[in-house]
Amino acid sequence: MKYENIIYEVKDSVGILTVNRPDKLNALNSHVIDEVVDALGEAKKSEEVKALIITGSGSKAFVAGADIPEIQKIGLKDGMDFSRRGQEMTRNVEELGKPSIAAVNGLALGGGCELALGCTFRILSETAKLGLPELALGAMPGYGGTQRMSRIIGKSRTLWMILTGDMLSAHEALQLGLANKVVKPEELMEVAAATAKKMAQKPSLAMKMCIMAVNHGAETDLESGLFLESALANILLGSQDKTEGIAAFVEKRKPIFTGK
Ligand code: COA
């Protein structure tokens, strides 16, 4: 087996990455992060993988955060690198170039919540809870939580979560637009897989461009975002998939997309 603390498998064009350290509530130590980054690289490169699901082992936790005993050993000298490595992991999820779904099966705390925030979508079990409790340890979110959370639910709600340590229930997360769906625990992987499979059938180049347009456009002014949209739309208008998609519509048949 290539990995010790994660399981990475590919089924029906969907990569499934399971953080597998249930005795430590799937906490992310640097070894786990190395493995997640490696598997993300595999998923990104693979032509077979069209979408990715990230989940946690067991029913209690998705990921309960960065590994606390490891944080205990980190000081001023290497704290920046520690945070940047975690950010690299969440950034790599965001920049996968393919849709990713966090199938949140339980507690998503600290780095776990931040990992879910890097995903394109979040599908939550009714039992899931999301929180950024680092302040209780005298620390703060460092894997993108202060930035991505506020971009989704707003500054004030984000600061409320961070400064009070209050967790959001699955239904609260849904109301705030942080969760895309809330499902029964026993249906979580089925719904995540069905959603991923639905996207796996879409033209992959067009999906990549849409994710880029929305992610990068959200970080810029409207005019630059519109310019980016036109440039990406132009690439697609010259693609084989667009020729095929239009031809299939005209000929009243199902398109066969190649991602080119
Ligand atoms: N890092 C390392 N280990 C962790 C962990 C983390 N972030 N979160 C939980 N664990 C470990 C516990 O130490 C425990 O290990 P042990 O059995 O060897 O002692 C095991 O996972 C089970 O956790 P436990 O605390 O016994 O479960 P609980 O149901 O009583 O409490 C939590 C669950 C999530 C409330 C509690 O574990 C917690 O507060 N964890 C830290 C969450 C956090 O602050 N995350 C952000 C870190 S920056």
Side-chain angles (χ1 to χ4, degrees):
M1 268 247 277
K2 186 173 173 189
Y3 300 118
E4 280 173 42
N5 293 301
I6 67 165
I7 301 164
Y8 177 67
E9 55 201 329
V10 179
K11 275 189 205 155
D12 301 328
S13 306
V14 176
I16 305 170
L17 192 167
T18 307
V19 181
N20 187 30
R21 227 189 143 205
D23 54 325
K24 298 290 175 193
L25 304 186
N26 304 320
L28 301 167
N29 62 23
S30 44
H31 188 53
V32 180
I33 291 181
D34 286 347
E35 293 193 339
V36 172
V37 169
D38 193 276
L40 290 171
E42 270 194 64
K44 185 171 186 153
K45 265 189 262 150
S46 165
E47 292 208 1
E48 186 192 354
V49 174
K50 309 281 189 210
L52 178 75
I53 296 172
I54 301 182
T55 193
S57 259
S59 56
K60 195 164 172 181
F62 171 72
V63 168
D67 188 81
I68 294 174
E70 206 169 80
I71 299 173
Q72 201 171 19
K73 297 183 204 134
I74 290 171
L76 200 53
K77 184 172 68 64
D78 34 29
M80 183 86 184
D81 290 339
F82 172 80
S83 167
R84 295 301 279 177
R85 180 66 172 158
Q87 287 180 355
E88 185 185 343
M89 172 185 69
T90 54
R91 170 65 86 198
N92 287 2
V93 181
E94 194 167 55
E95 304 247 308
L96 196 65
K98 309 175 184 192
S100 54
I101 299 170
V104 184
N105 52 306
L107 295 165
L109 302 178
C113 183
E114 292 169 304
L115 181 59
L117 287 172
C119 290
T120 324
F121 305 113
R122 282 154 292 282
I123 300 180
L124 270 54
S125 150
E126 282 170 344
T127 56
K129 284 196 171 133
L130 292 124
L132 294 169
E134 291 89 340
L135 208 74
L137 303 169
M140 67 178 275
Y143 294 177
T146 63
Q147 303 306 304
R148 290 198 182 93
M149 185 64 89
S150 61
R151 279 162 171 74
I152 302 174
I153 68 170
K155 283 199 290 188
S156 179
R157 289 193 191 101
T158 299
L159 280 169
W160 184 282
M161 281 183 80
I162 295 173
L163 302 188
T164 64
D166 289 353
M167 293 184 208
L168 294 176
S169 70
H171 286 288
E172 285 168 330
L174 186 66
Q175 266 183 345
L176 296 175
L178 185 53
N180 297 88
K181 259 182 194 208
V182 174
V183 298
K184 292 192 189 327
E186 61 275 18
E187 290 169 2
L188 178 67
M189 289 313 287
E190 203 182 303
V191 173
T195 310
K197 267 191 234 163
K198 188 195 263 186
M199 289 182 292
Q201 285 153 19
K202 310 269 184 216
S204 54
L205 185 64
M207 279 201 296
K208 183 177 179 176
M209 300 294 164
C210 291
I211 295 171
M212 279 168 82
V214 172
N215 282 352
H216 291 273
E219 298 308 319
T220 186
D221 61 285
L222 181 62
E223 209 39 59
S224 308
L226 291 171
F227 189 80
L228 174 68
E229 182 185 82
S230 294
L232 295 174
N234 186 39
I235 293 172
L236 285 182
L237 289 171
S239 71
Q240 289 177 24
D241 276 354
K242 171 258 174 180
T243 306
E244 166 63 9
I246 302 281
F249 178 83
V250 172
E251 292 159 20
K252 299 188 189 305
R253 61 172 173 84
K254 273 198 155 187
I256 302 166
F257 293 121
T258 57
K260 293 188 174 117

